[in-house]
Amino acid sequence: GAVVSQHPSRVICKSGTSVKIECRSLDFQATTMFWYRQFPKQSLMLMATSNEGSKATYEQGVEKDKFLINHASLTLSTLTVTSAHPEDSSFYICSASDSKETQYFGPGTRLLVL
Amino acid sequence: EDQVTQSPEALRLQEGESSSLNCSYTVSGLRGLFWYRQDPGKGPEFLFTLYSAGEEKEKERLKATLTKKESFLHITAPKPEDSATYLCAVQAPGGYQKVTFGTGTKLQVIP
């Protein structure tokens, strides 16, 4: 149980384009989902928290107009990186929390912006 | 501000050599402490949740314990497949269920 999927697992795009990453909780309903970014050899940095049906809460320093988050249902959240630039290249990981507020993580999406 | 410090940063063990990883935390009221395992290029895998001092949980060769200031992840007779980065995270009371992660301990178990 408690499986979270992410799609795509890897994406390469040109600078200036937008990229959408999907996060799904497969076997449970997640009222709250989280988006993290992880740089090489560093821990997870929380970008934003999203609750189903409401606006996401962004962490300080994270541009909400650049990283658009939509949490349309209890099993799906999307992160769109708009007008991506090489500095946006990173490993993006989502998580979904269950009724006991334990976060279960997806496998991550490796983004490379050329 | 919530803080989580993990030590050591890296640990190299011989197969079968038991050891412990430490997670020290400062939080204004602990709602939960979480242990995760992360393999390179993958998302963290949930291991344990601990809620109160004195609580212990076990899973195969792993045992997590909790005091009011720190948590330990004990690894008994580790195998090479236990090699990974182990992350600790704490959750404080309040909205949004936000957790604060430590920087992790990278464990390498040598055959």
Side-chain angles (χ1 to χ4, degrees), chain A residues 32 34 36 38 43-44 46 49 51 57 59 91 93 97 100-107 110, chain B residues 31 34 36 38 41-46 49 51 87 91 96-99 101-104 106:
Chain A
T32 307
F34 305 82
Y36 293 84
Q38 188 174 35
S43 193
L44 290 83
L46 179 65
T49 303
N51 290 284
T57 301
E59 294 299 298
F91 190 50
I93 312 174
S97 64
K100 294 183 179 180
E101 299 183 357
T102 295
Q103 291 186 35
Y104 295 92
F105 287 83
R110 178 77 57 191
Chain B
R31 190 164 180 160
F34 307 89
Y36 292 87
Q38 186 175 25
K42 297 186 178 181
E45 174 190 344
F46 172 73
T49 306
Y51 295 102
L87 298 169
Q91 183 182 39
Y96 301 116
Q97 304 173 24
K98 177 181 174 179
V99 299
F101 276 89
T103 53
K106 185 174 182 179

Side-chain angles (χ1 to χ4, degrees), chain A residues 2-6 22-33 71 73-77 94-97 104:
Chain A
V3 179
V4 177
S5 70
Q6 261 182 263
E22 288 189 352
C23 177
R24 293 180 185 273
S25 56
L26 299 184
D27 53 2
F28 66 102
Q29 293 186 328
T31 308
T32 307
M33 287 185 167
H71 193 159
S73 75
L74 288 173
T75 60
L76 173 64
S77 176
C94 74
S95 72
S97 64
Y104 295 92

